[in-house]
């Protein structure tokens, strides 16, 4: 029997949660709330371990190919990710007051306040907090690239395998039930209509921002090579639609690599940069996470300034190194930052996860297609102009 994709399970969970929340008694909702509370505490315990297990060996594996090209490509990826997050913040802060103004202040209050509470809770205090886990991961990851021998790297790689199994066998299978419980509770409390209305508008804005990002980054790549940016973007559309179907940057690498070379990037540059960017460049995902986070904070009337969100975006760019190895993508890697830096509650995190997974394929497609533009830019900055002069007169269409 074919396994049901995670996105389909999330959608089913949301629909069932909304319907069942309208008909079951409070006692059943309390049972769901108890499960979601226990799951949330367990997730909070595991998040620092996810950060250590994926970011430390991720940094180390990137660093093992250290050199000028590594620094250039990784720097471009980080810059692109941060700028994408800043653009998403600016769009959200300027557009949300207009597109979300149909909800009154009572509808936009903290969704957690009117939910049914759990029967009991079990505290699961994390062994290390999120920020400490990030700092530790960075120190260990960079350190492993600076010392001889692979003993620690092998240990961390095995630890990553253990955490992957925890995610794959426990967190991901239970995640739909967690989201089901959250939406059943919100449906019982009469909040679902407002939540879905807000998220529908945010979803449309996110897709538009993805397209604007791609046009912008290919505009830069085209300008640097005096090539038609729309022609370059058109040549990379097979990678976009492959990622849209697979929801995986890694699975799309062969297609991205093939078409990056077709637009004139030197083979050795493409062979190095494309696989690296598939693991460290998640601009599309950053647009989504930032936009969704702003929406959730707006829903509860929480005022946010640029200086409140900018440190989150900077840390998000580093945390994205863990995202390709985590089932569920960037939002799972970002949960710790949402809780520690933006003060998200379990309900807010669940809303983030549900919305993110609903458009995960579009974010992945934007990430992958953006990889082609960054590889083109790296190709120019690394030295020879290569073959892009041959396509500068090509026209879109």
């Amino acid at each position: 029997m074919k396994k049901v994709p995670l996105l389909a399970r999330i959608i089913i969970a949301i629909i069932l949660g909304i319907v069942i929340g309208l008909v079951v008694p409070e006692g059943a909702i309390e049972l769901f709330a108890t499960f979601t509370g226990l799951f949330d505490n367990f997730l909070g315990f595991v998040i620092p371990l996810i950060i250590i297990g994926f970011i430390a060996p991720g940094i180390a594996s990137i660093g093992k190919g250290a050199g000028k090209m590594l620094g250039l490509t990784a720097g471009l990826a980080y810059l692109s990710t941060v700028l994408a997050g800043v653009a998403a913040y600016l769009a959200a802060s300027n557009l949300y007051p207009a597109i979300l103004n149909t909800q009154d202040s009572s509808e936009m209050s903290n969704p957690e306040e009117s939910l049914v509470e759990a029967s009991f809770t079990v505290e699961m205090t994390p062994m290390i907090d999120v920020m400490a886990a990030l700092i530790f991961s960075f120190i260990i990851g960079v350190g492993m690239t600076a010392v001889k021998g692979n003993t620690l790297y092998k240990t961390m790689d095995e630890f990553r395998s253990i955490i992957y199994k925890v995610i794959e066998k426990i967190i991901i299978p239970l995640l739909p039930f967690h989201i089901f419980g959250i939406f059943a509770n919100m449906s019982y409390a009469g909040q679902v209509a407002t939540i879905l209305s807000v998220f529908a508008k945010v979803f449309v804005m996110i897709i538009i921002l993805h397209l604007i990002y791609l046009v912008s980054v290919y505009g830069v790549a085209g300008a640097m090579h005096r090539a038609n940016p729309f022609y370059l973007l058109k040549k990379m559309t097979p990678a976009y639609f492959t990622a849209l179907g697979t929801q995986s940057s890694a699975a799309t690498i062969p297609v991205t690599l093939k078409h990056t070379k077709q637009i004139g990037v030197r083979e050795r540059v493409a062979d190095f940069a494309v696989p690296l960017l598939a693991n460290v460049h998640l601009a599309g995902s950053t647009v989504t996470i930032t936009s969704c986070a702003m929406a959730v904070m707006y829903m509860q009337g929480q005022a946010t300034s640029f200086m409140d969100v900018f440190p989150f975006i900077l840390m998000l760019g580093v945390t994205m190194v863990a995202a390709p190895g985590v089932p569920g993508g960037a939002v799972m890697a970002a949960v710790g930052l949402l809780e520690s830096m933006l003060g998200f509650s379990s309900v807010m995190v669940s809303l983030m996860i549900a919305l993110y997974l609903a458009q995960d394929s579009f974010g992945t497609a934007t990430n992958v297609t953006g990889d082609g533009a960054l590889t083109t830019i790296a190709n120019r900055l690394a030295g020879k102009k290569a073959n892009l002069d041959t396509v500068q007169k090509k026209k879109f269409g």
Side-chain angles (χ1 to χ4, degrees), residues 2 6 25 28 58 66 93 142 156 159-161 164 170 189 201 214 236-237 269 304 348 355 383:
K2 188 175 179 180
L6 177 61
S93 60
V142 173
M156 293 302 298
F159 180 67
R160 173 168 55 183
S161 299
Y164 184 91
I170 300 176
K201 296 171 184 176
L214 289 176
M236 292 301 299
T237 52
V269 174
T304 54
M348 295 166 73
L355 179 59

Side-chain angles (χ1 to χ4, degrees), residues 209-223:
L209 286 176
H210 284 168
L211 296 177
I212 292 174
Y213 164 79
L214 289 176
V215 171
S216 300
V217 74
Y218 274 92
V220 173

Side-chain angles (χ1 to χ4, degrees), residues 5-8 11 239-252 323-324 326-329 356-365 367-368:
L6 177 61
L7 175 58
I11 294 174
Y240 182 92
F241 287 105
T242 301
L244 202 63
T246 63
Q247 294 184 313
S248 170
S249 297
T252 313
V326 181
Y356 179 86
L357 291 177
Q359 67 74 64
D360 186 29
S361 57
F362 292 95
T364 302
N367 296 337
V368 165

